[in-house]
Amino acid sequence: MTELNKQFLLLEQQLMYYKKEDFISLLSEDFIEYGSSGGIMEKPFLLNELTDQGIEECLFTVTNFQAIPIAEQLVQTRFVTTNRTNGNSQNRSSLWRNENGTWRMFFHQGTPIK
């Protein structure tokens, strides 16, 4: 796995623990998510749904991870998550941009695999 893949896999996995402080620091202020249910969520909505402690054990396994540089300060991630509790899988994609030296996600989308 390349260093770029390792770096962004760690960032994506950090968010999978649903800790409010991680969402505050890793999501851009203009973040938007197109959820698998068809809903559109922005950062303030997500922060309202989270707790400070998050969850102790990640619910997902990640496979087929790729971090693709799109421009000098822009990276797209593409990967598959499988929920460990129900076996459901989703194709996922995120867009990350470097904001003053910090990589922050500004877009995410998940689509169920049927």
Side-chain angles (χ1 to χ4, degrees):
M1 182 176 280
T2 68
E3 288 302 314
L4 186 70
N5 280 350
K6 288 178 189 176
Q7 177 184 2
F8 282 92
L9 176 58
L10 288 174
L11 290 171
E12 291 280 1
Q13 288 176 321
Q14 187 175 346
L15 290 169
M16 292 179 193
Y17 286 89
Y18 299 102
K19 291 182 182 173
K20 188 178 278 192
E21 70 182 62
D22 292 337
F23 276 56
I24 290 169
S25 65
L26 293 177
L27 299 185
S28 292
E29 293 309 310
D30 61 346
F31 173 82
I32 189 166
E33 176 177 349
Y34 290 171
S36 60
S37 64
I40 299 173
M41 295 162 278
E42 296 177 338
K43 184 175 180 176
F45 172 82
L46 293 174
L47 292 178
N48 191 52
E49 299 294 308
L50 298 172
T51 62
D52 290 336
Q53 68 273 10
I55 59 174
E56 289 189 26
E57 187 176 332
C58 182
L59 302 174
F60 304 100
T61 57
V62 176
T63 55
N64 301 330
F65 191 87
Q66 295 178 307
I68 299 115
I70 295 175
E72 186 175 331
Q73 302 296 316
L74 185 64
V75 170
Q76 180 186 39
T77 58
R78 301 174 191 164
F79 54 102
V80 174
T81 58
T82 301
N83 187 310
R84 292 180 182 160
T85 59
N86 62 22
N88 291 340
S89 295
Q90 289 193 22
N91 286 311
R92 295 186 181 268
S93 180
S94 304
L95 290 172
W96 294 80
R97 68 177 161 228
N98 192 314
E99 297 177 2
N100 301 314
T102 301
W103 286 101
R104 299 179 84 196
M105 182 189 294
F106 68 96
F107 178 81
H108 181 77
Q109 184 170 8
T111 306
I113 299 173
K114 298 186 182 204

